Amino acid sequence: MPDLHARMAPRVRRLTTEVVARCESEVSFYRELPRDVLDEEVSRSVAAVLGLLPGCPPVLRRSRRR
């Protein structure tokens, strides 16, 4: 899996930003959080999860159509 982790590493920052933005737009709890909490604690947590699940992020990148 080292090759998969190496390919995933450069994408984690962008994917983290996308996931946090999606949470903020769709979940009222996240909309109510201060920006610094979203940018720091929530972003760190999302990045940590993405680092553990290298096969999952392509699903998270897809746009949700309504």
Side-chain angles (χ1 to χ4, degrees):
M1 272 241 213
D3 184 45
L4 186 55
H5 284 281
R7 289 190 327 236
M8 190 59 206
R11 297 181 176 111
V12 170
R13 179 171 286 193
R14 179 179 53 85
L15 293 173
T16 297
T17 301
E18 291 178 18
V19 169
V20 172
R22 173 74 59 84
C23 289
E24 186 180 13
S25 72
E26 295 186 12
V27 181
S28 61
F29 169 80
Y30 289 101
R31 279 193 297 274
E32 295 168 6
L33 291 175
R35 171 58 44 199
D36 62 319
V37 173
L38 288 169
D39 290 343
E40 296 170 14
E41 293 176 51
V42 175
S43 292
R44 274 195 307 269
S45 295
V46 170
V49 170
L50 291 175
L52 294 173
L53 304 170
C56 184
V59 173
L60 296 174
R61 286 194 313 233
R62 282 190 217 140
S63 296
R64 200 167 153 195
R65 306 219 189 269
R66 292 182 184 235

